[in-house]
Amino acid sequence: MYSRRANKESRQSRNLQAILDLHTRHMSEDMMQVRGDLIYTSRYDDLHEAEYGREHEALHRLLGIYELLGAVTRRNLADKDLVFDLFPISIAACYERSANYIENYRARSSNPRFMHNFEWLAKAFENARQ
């Protein structure tokens, strides 16, 4: 009995550390810049029409954080409320601003699952807010 509880606590601790590490990456100076540009400027609006380059890489790094958050939350490896508390505005705002890019990338790359965990997370966030 004790070892099962200890294993569960150890797993929860690792999962929490992973979420905190993602939050740290999310709050890094370069990701704050990309996130701000995505939400508040038109910098990435026509990115789907451009050759893959530096701006794509920056955007994919940011979207990848949300994709990982969605994957661990969807599989109940992270508490949904904790994720929503740590990323209160950016999940919905970044998804809304990147949805067209994601759809175009899916079609262009023949990868219909591109950022599907991020999409799930954004919808779960919206449902939780209602």
Side-chain angles (χ1 to χ4, degrees):
M1 176 81 163
Y2 174 75
S3 91
R4 197 173 354 167
R5 190 171 86 201
N7 284 340
K8 181 179 179 184
E9 289 172 0
S10 176
R11 191 171 49 254
Q12 287 174 330
S13 177
R14 284 191 313 270
N15 292 345
L16 176 59
Q17 187 58 52
I19 296 301
L20 293 175
D21 289 346
L22 285 173
H23 188 265
T24 299
R25 284 179 43 201
H26 182 261
M27 296 305 292
S28 69
E29 190 174 326
D30 61 327
M31 287 297 99
M32 286 175 42
Q33 180 68 50
V34 174
R35 192 171 56 253
D37 287 346
L38 176 63
I39 295 172
Y40 301 112
T41 74
S42 60
R43 181 175 187 168
Y44 295 105
D45 287 357
D46 297 322
L47 196 58
H48 61 275
E49 298 172 1
E51 272 306 303
Y52 191 87
R54 189 169 254 191
E55 287 186 336
H56 290 88
E57 290 173 10
L59 182 59
H60 281 233
R61 281 194 306 275
L62 177 65
L63 298 181
I65 291 171
Y66 295 119
E67 180 68 6
L68 285 170
L69 278 172
V72 298
T73 306
R74 189 177 204 174
R75 288 161 183 78
N76 295 316
L77 298 174
D79 180 71
K80 196 183 303 185
D81 291 332
L82 175 63
V83 171
F84 295 162
D85 285 347
L86 290 173
F87 303 85
I89 297 170
S90 63
I91 292 170
C94 286
Y95 183 75
E96 181 180 319
R97 294 289 291 148
S98 64
N100 287 337
Y101 175 79
I102 291 169
E103 286 301 317
N104 285 318
Y105 191 90
R106 286 174 177 169
R108 196 174 63 246
S109 67
S110 300
N111 182 1
R113 295 180 55 85
F114 177 73
M115 297 296 156
H116 79 283
N117 288 308
F118 178 26
E119 180 178 22
W120 175 88
L121 184 66
K123 289 178 181 177
F125 182 81
E126 282 302 313
N127 290 336
R129 286 179 44 186
Q130 295 177 358

